[in-house]
Amino acid sequence: MHVEIVTIGDELLLGFTVDTNAAQLARELAAAGIEVVRRATVGDEADQIASAVGEALERTGAVITTGGLGPTADDRTKASIAALFGRGMRLDETILDGLRARWAARGWPGELPAANREQAMLPEGARVLVNRHGSAPGVWLEDDRGRWVAMLPGVPREMRGMTADELLPLLGARAGGAAATVIRSRTLRTTGIAESALADRLGDIARSVDGMNVASLPGFEGTDLRITARGLAADAAEAALDAGIARLRERAGPFVYGDGADDLAAVVLDACRDRRFTIAVAESCTGGLLGGRLTAIPGSSDVVLGGVIAYSNAVKEHLLGVPPEVLAAHGAVSEPVALAMAAGVRASLGADVGVSITGVAGPGGGTAEKPVGTVWVAVDVRGRSRAVRPMIVGDRDEIRRRAAQGALDLVRRALADDDR
Ligand code: ATP
């Protein structure tokens, strides 16, 4: 099945709101085997809405809109699309009663404002898409040639809820239920290797594996590999994805840290938890980013003891016990200092694992010997330590984020190697 998406709202055109609805819808529809063939965004004007939806109906005959269902004067979606179908508007008493009950249940003062009655107006012959997450109901309108428009709310949470609760079951039924094919994707997450080097490792399966496209998606935290199965029934798609991911995982080897939306910080916390290890962090150029990544994960308190932001040499010396002669001989951004920081924070906080970062985040402070982007990360696991200098490029923000990811990856690898 092919559909078009029309997202509605002046704020989308002005760039104040990022159009996450279209992306989210496209992903959800693809997972259900429905292909989005075109997307458009228009302002709140009735004629803009009517022309975009009208063209999409002519072309594809299946349109999903988001936005403009609310009670305010700039919410014109329903009326302009009703006009397109040659239908009038009528008041739906059931919806109005529901809106009144919702108003009263919330303990809001007075009667339901007259403007809210707008939300109870429906095009003649429309079907209601129930909104369990907000007040504005969605609308399904279909003509006698089977061409249809589904109007969803603009608020992303309401849009997502209505898509799952109402729209997808409806489209699934139209497509013939179980016989339908799906479009499904799976992601493998790698870090610590350049995208080009990863492609070399993957060799003949870098672009396609078992007939499925491989998308290589580089980001701050590494390169994700995403494969997509199309045109298969759900079970067959899952089996193909399992096999494809297994082949990619084997080739990418130690650079793989997870799949789906896995966060490396959570992977590290789990690895520590499995061993009943605690962790402490010592950060110079990242100034707390690493501690932030770890403590952003719910439940981190049973593993993370704390950390030291050792920005100045004095703090490295006095709180972490980095010997002044090591600092003088090698400079703050060096392997020996990174190792001393990791050992020092482990000792002073009484942790099993100490991890450290020291580097030149720029834009100033670089030298010929230690250019901007020079970073050392070190880990000390119960006295066994190692340090690496990850290859890092980018601006200050990128360098700091990549340094934190590099430190997490070093901990992951140190713990995994310890098991061997
Ligand atoms: P409401 O009942 O709140 O008026 P609505 O269906 O009329 O809902 P809009 O008024 O168009 O929706 O948008 C409400 C809010 O939802 C916007 O302020 C914006 O923050 C968000 N929003 C709207 N469209 C999108 C979109 N395409 N992507 C992401 N967010 C959106």
Side-chain angles (χ1 to χ4, degrees):
M1 182 191 292
H2 287 177
V3 303
E4 298 199 23
I5 294 176
V6 178
T7 51
I8 297 163
D10 285 344
E11 76 282 8
L12 297 169
L13 290 180
L14 289 169
F16 289 116
T17 300
V18 176
D19 188 358
T20 55
N21 281 354
Q24 176 91 33
L25 259 176
R27 284 197 299 269
E28 307 260 325
L29 293 166
I34 298 160
E35 199 159 341
V36 175
V37 290
R38 189 185 278 242
R39 271 164 50 174
T41 300
V42 295
D44 293 313
E45 293 303 321
D47 58 342
Q48 292 183 34
I49 300 171
S51 77
V53 173
E55 286 164 21
L57 273 177
E58 286 300 321
R59 238 185 338 252
T60 311
V63 188
I64 300 170
T65 69
T66 80
L69 293 186
T72 56
D74 61 0
D75 293 317
R76 303 195 178 92
T77 303
K78 283 183 292 190
S80 53
I81 295 173
L84 204 60
F85 278 72
R87 311 266 179 94
M89 298 290 282
R90 65 171 176 86
L91 183 73
D92 186 305
E93 292 291 345
T94 316
I95 295 177
L96 189 59
D97 287 347
L99 290 171
R100 284 197 186 111
R102 197 178 147 89
W103 186 270
R106 300 211 158 177
W108 287 331
E111 294 278 298
L112 183 77
N116 278 95
R117 285 172 64 93
E118 271 304 307
Q119 290 181 300
M121 297 297 290
L122 284 187
E124 278 159 2
R127 169 180 181 154
V128 173
L129 302 174
V130 178
N131 187 348
R132 295 190 181 82
H133 310 269
S135 62
V139 179
W140 173 278
L141 201 54
E142 189 167 347
D143 69 11
D144 48 15
R145 291 160 57 191
R147 302 184 311 171
W148 57 265
V149 182
M151 295 164 240
L152 309 181
V155 179
R157 197 172 55 90
E158 298 180 22
M159 187 284 298
R160 281 198 303 274
M162 194 178 289
T163 301
D165 298 344
E166 299 277 303
L167 182 63
L168 290 176
L170 219 143
L171 295 180
R174 280 178 84 90
T181 62
V182 297
I183 303 172
R184 292 218 176 141
S185 298
R186 211 66 87 65
T187 303
L188 200 62
R189 310 208 76 180
T190 75
T191 194
I193 183 168
E195 187 191 13
S196 51
L198 180 63
D200 279 354
R201 265 187 92 96
L202 297 176
D204 62 325
I205 58 170
R207 286 165 155 258
S208 133
V209 60
D210 301 341
M212 292 175 283
N213 278 347
V214 178
S216 171
L217 308 164
F220 289 132
E221 294 170 358
T223 298
D224 290 343
L225 299 170
R226 197 180 57 232
I227 55 173
T228 302
R230 293 169 196 273
L232 298 172
D235 287 355
E238 291 300 329
L241 290 168
D242 282 345
I245 284 286
R247 290 187 66 198
L248 289 171
R249 188 185 282 275
E250 196 192 341
R251 293 271 176 98
F255 298 99
V256 176
Y257 68 85
D259 47 39
D262 281 352
D263 182 332
L264 182 53
V267 171
V268 165
L269 288 176
D270 285 344
C272 287
R273 201 172 284 119
D274 286 349
R275 297 163 175 80
R276 299 186 189 284
F277 280 0
T278 55
I279 192 166
V281 302
E283 302 187 57
S284 185
C285 66
T286 46
L289 224 52
L290 176 58
R293 285 280 305 275
L294 287 166
T295 54
I297 308 296
S300 53
S301 61
D302 58 349
V303 174
V304 181
L305 295 187
V308 175
I309 298 176
Y311 216 50
S312 74
N313 281 357
V315 174
K316 292 185 181 77
E317 240 180 271
H318 300 309
L319 286 184
L320 299 176
V322 179
E325 57 277 13
V326 173
L327 278 163
H330 302 279
V333 180
S334 62
E335 180 173 13
V337 168
L339 287 166
M341 287 169 68
V345 80
R346 189 175 85 80
S348 69
L349 273 69
D352 298 290
V353 180
V355 53
S356 70
I357 302 175
T358 176
V360 188
T367 62
E369 193 197 344
K370 293 177 184 173
V372 168
T374 305
V375 173
W376 279 97
V377 297
V379 64
D380 184 317
V381 182
R382 297 188 157 181
R384 289 182 307 283
S385 61
R386 61 166 85 177
V388 294
R389 187 186 152 180
M391 303 305 292
I392 296 184
V393 290
D395 62 20
R396 184 176 175 83
D397 180 51
E398 289 165 348
I399 290 169
R400 285 157 42 94
R401 288 165 67 172
R402 291 186 161 131
Q405 182 79 351
L408 289 169
D409 199 43
L410 183 65
V411 179
R412 174 185 72 87
R413 283 177 170 245
L415 293 176
D417 290 349
D418 258 10
D419 295 343
R420 299 214 176 91

